[in-house]
Amino acid sequence: MELHILEHSLKVASIAKEGIQICTHGLIKLAFLASKTRCKFFSLTETPEDYTIIVDEEGFKELPQSEHISVADATWLALNVVSGGGNASNSQPIGVTKIAKSVIAPLADHNISVFMLSTYQTDFILVRERDLPMVMHTLSSEFTLLRVVNGETVAAHNLGVTNGFVKPKLVPRPIIHPLSSPSNMFCVTSLDPDTLPSVATLLMDVMFYSGGPKEPGASSEDSSHIRFFSFSLIEGYISLVMDEQTTQRFPNNVLFTSASGELWKMVRIGGQPLGFDECGIVAQISEPLATADIPAYYISTFKFDHALV
């Protein structure tokens, strides 16, 4: 298999609910007028706590400076696993499950923190730019490492992390963070970018206005139904994650659906904000699911993690 290191330098940030109004102009431009920007990687996820944005440096310029925006203190790179030969079959595992043992677990074993973004099309593993040499060393025995440069895929040169490298001891990874599961069912879907203008008003309402100001005050612990919506526009491909009720607002035949029309149950990871430094959180969840052959998507946000099973 091939591991592609994408050329985007990414920022991960949180936008407070009370500050979303001052950011909507830039966010609408990134989501619906991408041709007017140089942004190639944009993802916005709303949770009960805040909005998490993952965006490349060009896209980040579209956002205002504000006390309501908190930026993670690192530049991130996106990795993407591509199966050789492209023989995708229906029996292949879906989402993070297929990379749990080959990518997620080895990085956790080497104390490399990851930030996950599963989309309708693929899974992106975000790692800190400064960790890339160790990432490449860790995964080079299992993958052909390729780097995207100016849109062209070329061989990635090993960055020479050899001295002092010790194979880590494999230790059990108990799940140490509390888990909760909201009552809503979720859909992972997409739409043709050409149809985006026809549903732009609806999407804007869903992204910025539907919940009203009362939702941020609601505790996710005492509510069985949570607000969660994710929109990604990455290299021209759109991915949407929303609950079943929200999908029903869209016109027929606009959203892509799988042959099974499957719905997904969410597991939220974390009782307190997880931060970015702890290693192995994604592995704690994805490894047991992979062992049990349970398909799963995984979306990290600024404060909590979310698995869809």
Side-chain angles (χ1 to χ4, degrees):
M1 290 195 294
E2 297 174 353
L3 184 75
H4 291 195
I5 305 164
L6 306 187
E7 58 187 332
H8 316 292
S9 295
L10 303 174
K11 300 284 189 184
V12 177
S14 166
I15 304 174
K17 289 284 182 91
E18 60 269 24
I20 193 63
Q21 296 89 346
I22 64 171
C23 298
T24 50
H25 179 271
L27 294 172
I28 287 171
K29 187 176 179 182
L30 290 167
F32 304 107
L33 300 170
S35 62
K36 305 295 184 183
T37 76
R38 298 177 64 184
C39 179
K40 302 296 183 187
F41 196 113
F42 169 69
S43 180
L44 180 72
T45 300
E46 182 186 3
T47 68
E49 296 77 28
D50 63 356
Y51 289 85
T52 294
I53 182 172
I54 307 170
V55 66
D56 60 24
E57 290 177 335
E58 290 294 331
F60 192 73
K61 296 175 184 176
E62 302 292 339
L63 298 177
Q65 290 188 336
S66 169
E67 62 182 2
H68 296 296
I69 301 177
S70 303
V71 184
D73 185 23
T75 296
W76 299 78
L77 299 176
L79 314 178
N80 179 222
V81 173
V82 178
S83 299
N87 295 324
S89 69
N90 292 332
S91 62
Q92 280 191 322
I94 293 174
V96 73
T97 306
K98 66 178 177 285
I99 56 172
K101 294 183 182 295
S102 59
V103 179
I104 304 300
L107 294 180
D109 290 336
H110 288 88
N111 294 317
I112 298 168
S113 179
V114 303
F115 196 84
M116 279 297 307
L117 176 63
S118 291
T119 68
Y120 179 82
Q121 293 82 13
T122 190
D123 299 278
F124 297 99
I125 310 107
L126 274 61
V127 298
R128 290 181 174 91
E129 188 174 41
R130 63 174 178 262
D131 289 334
L132 184 61
M134 184 59 76
V135 170
M136 294 177 66
H137 188 88
T138 301
L139 301 178
S140 59
S141 61
E142 293 291 330
F143 293 92
T144 300
L145 302 181
L146 301 171
R147 192 152 197 175
V148 180
V149 180
N150 297 323
E152 298 292 328
T153 304
V154 299
H157 299 295
N158 197 305
L159 300 181
V161 180
T162 54
N163 293 337
F165 180 82
V166 178
K167 188 170 183 178
K169 294 180 180 178
L170 303 183
V171 296
R173 266 187 284 272
I175 296 174
I176 59 174
H177 293 283
L179 307 178
S180 61
S181 183
S183 61
N184 20 353
M185 301 290 286
F186 290 87
C187 179
V188 181
T189 185
S190 180
L191 55 80
D192 186 330
D194 290 340
T195 67
L196 188 58
S198 69
V199 292
T201 303
L202 172 57
L203 271 170
M204 287 181 208
D205 183 58
V206 170
M207 292 165 76
F208 304 118
Y209 304 112
S210 284
K214 64 182 181 300
E215 276 207 2
S219 168
S220 59
E221 261 89 26
D222 61 19
S223 173
S224 62
H225 187 284
I226 72 160
R227 174 79 181 151
F228 186 95
F229 180 84
S230 185
F231 174 96
S232 300
L233 176 58
I234 299 172
E235 297 181 348
Y237 292 96
I238 294 171
S239 175
L240 299 162
V241 180
M242 63 186 104
D243 66 15
E244 186 179 14
Q245 290 82 355
T246 304
T247 64
Q248 293 169 359
R249 298 179 58 186
F250 285 79
N252 292 334
N253 303 319
V254 169
L255 300 177
F256 298 165
T257 54
S258 66
S260 62
E262 57 208 353
L263 294 171
W264 300 79
K265 193 74 175 171
M266 177 179 287
V267 177
R268 270 171 55 96
I269 300 102
Q272 298 293 324
L274 297 172
F276 293 88
D277 295 325
E278 183 180 345
C279 302
I281 298 173
V282 181
Q284 291 167 19
I285 304 299
S286 61
E287 265 195 300
L289 295 176
T291 299
D293 288 326
I294 297 173
Y297 295 97
Y298 200 103
I299 297 176
S300 302
T301 60
F302 205 86
K303 295 183 178 179
F304 299 103
D305 283 7
H306 308 79
L308 294 170
V309 297

